[in-house]
């Protein structure tokens, strides 16, 4: 199949490209750095010529809620319109578990807008809600790290390996549209603070972590809010197995 990956140069995008190419598929990479701009639509029609399915793993800028919703909304509208013109038969959107249970998070608001547009759009679709990735904890700590100290929310998550997410997205893109897919998660719950500590240790970094419910990760995200629902699809790679690869 000829499949396009929107956000192809990001972590999940690159892994999804690799998963599809291992299967012998023709992959089109969509990224601003490669000359295709979702915000303006420039280059989309040429990129989607002959494409049968699109996997959207794009990320948004770290800005306020209104700006994030506007960014995701514009990019998604442009992508769906170009897909309709090209006769794309399947739009696959990577989303996040728990975004409909949390208010006040700009990124989650943007993802909700993406889901809304895809579900109401002209292209048959599958939305794939995934839990946080195994590298999420150390990344979040890195956002606030100053002079060897970082604040981080004590979230309860059930993290999934990025490569497992990519494999699942590739599989779904090759199949028929499903609407809303079951939640996708890793095999076991973890504490985000402990994950960050262990990841930094594995990478040879010393960072003092200060647990706190800070802006963006407030008490609305505490407890089981970010855990997968019943009937979730559980990916195989544990956090320990992923961590061993970081050493």
């Amino acid at each position: 199949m000829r499949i396009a990956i929107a956000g192809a140069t990001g972590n999940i995008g690159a892994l999804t490209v690799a998963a599809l190419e291992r299967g012998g598929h023709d992959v089109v990479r969509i990224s601003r750095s490669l000359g295709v701009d979702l915000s303006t639509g420039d280059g989309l029609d040429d990129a989607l010529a002959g494409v049968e399915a699109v996997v959207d793993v794009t990320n948004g800028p770290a800005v306020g809620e209104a700006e994030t919703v506007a960014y995701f909304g514009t990019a998604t509208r442009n992508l769906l319109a170009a897909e309709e013109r090209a006769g794309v038969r399947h739009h696959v959107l990577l989303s996040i578990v728990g975004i409909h249970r949390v208010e006040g998070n700009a990124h989650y608001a943007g993802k909700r807008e993406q889901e809304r547009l895809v579900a109401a759009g002209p292209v048959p679709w599958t939305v794939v809600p995934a839990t946080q990735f195994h590298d999420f904890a150390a990344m979040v700590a890195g956002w606030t790290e100053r002079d060897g100290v970082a604040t981080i929310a004590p979230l309860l998550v059930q993290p999934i390996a990025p490569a497992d997410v990519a494999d699942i997205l590739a599989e779904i893109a090759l199949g028929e549209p499903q609407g809303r897919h079951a939640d996708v998660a890793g095999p076991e719950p973890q504490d985000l603070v402990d994950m960050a500590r262990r990841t930094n240790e594995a990478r040879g970094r010393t960072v003092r972590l200060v647990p706190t419910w800070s802006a963006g990760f407030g008490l609305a995200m505490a407890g089981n809010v970010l855990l997968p629902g019943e009937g979730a699809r559980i990916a195989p790679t544990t956090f320990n197995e992923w961590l061993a690869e970081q050493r």
Side-chain angles (χ1 to χ4, degrees):
M1 286 178 59
R2 184 172 174 83
I3 300 172
I5 308 299
T9 56
N11 182 26
I12 300 298
L15 289 168
T16 306
V17 168
L20 287 164
E21 289 184 335
R22 284 195 302 271
H25 300 284
D26 181 15
V27 181
V28 177
R29 295 164 174 80
I30 293 177
S31 172
R32 183 179 298 172
S33 65
L34 300 175
V36 184
D37 192 336
L38 294 180
S39 295
T40 63
D42 290 346
L44 267 177
D45 287 332
D46 288 341
L48 294 181
V51 165
E52 299 172 70
V54 172
V55 181
D56 184 359
V57 293
T58 53
N59 211 336
V63 292
E65 182 169 322
E67 295 90 344
T68 302
V69 170
Y71 172 84
F72 275 122
T74 298
T76 302
R77 288 186 186 93
N78 286 338
L79 185 55
L80 290 172
E83 289 175 22
E84 184 180 25
R85 292 192 296 271
V88 172
R89 65 167 189 80
H90 191 184
H91 181 97
V92 180
L93 172 65
L94 176 62
S95 193
I96 307 171
V97 167
I99 61 171
H100 298 281
R101 300 190 288 267
V102 176
E103 296 293 337
N105 181 289
H107 187 65
Y108 281 20
K111 296 301 289 185
R112 287 195 297 271
E113 178 68 357
Q114 268 191 312
E115 287 193 9
R116 184 186 71 81
L117 292 169
V118 167
V123 181
W125 55 277
T126 304
V127 168
V128 186
T131 55
Q132 286 68 33
F133 307 143
H134 283 157
D135 55 359
F136 179 72
M139 179 179 69
V140 169
W143 294 343
T144 64
E145 183 181 341
R146 299 290 185 277
D147 300 322
V149 179
T151 57
I152 183 169
L155 299 175
L156 179 63
V157 296
Q158 192 163 325
I160 185 170
D164 287 347
V165 175
D167 288 344
I168 290 169
L169 290 173
E171 172 202 310
I172 290 171
L174 298 174
E176 295 300 316
Q178 303 176 36
R180 190 167 188 85
H181 190 276
D183 290 349
V184 174
E188 55 198 9
Q190 299 282 343
D191 171 73
L192 200 71
V193 180
D194 186 58
M195 286 175 64
R197 177 186 61 78
R198 293 167 64 195
T199 304
N200 283 329
E201 287 178 354
R203 293 173 174 173
R205 302 194 70 250
T206 301
V207 181
R208 184 168 70 86
L209 299 173
V210 180
T212 179
W213 293 107
S214 56
F217 297 99
L219 286 171
M221 302 175 81
N224 297 337
V225 170
L226 301 183
L227 298 185
E230 290 186 12
R233 177 172 179 174
I234 304 302
T237 307
T238 66
F239 180 66
N240 283 343
E241 289 168 338
W242 175 84
L243 201 61
E245 299 173 356
Q246 307 304 301
R247 300 183 186 281

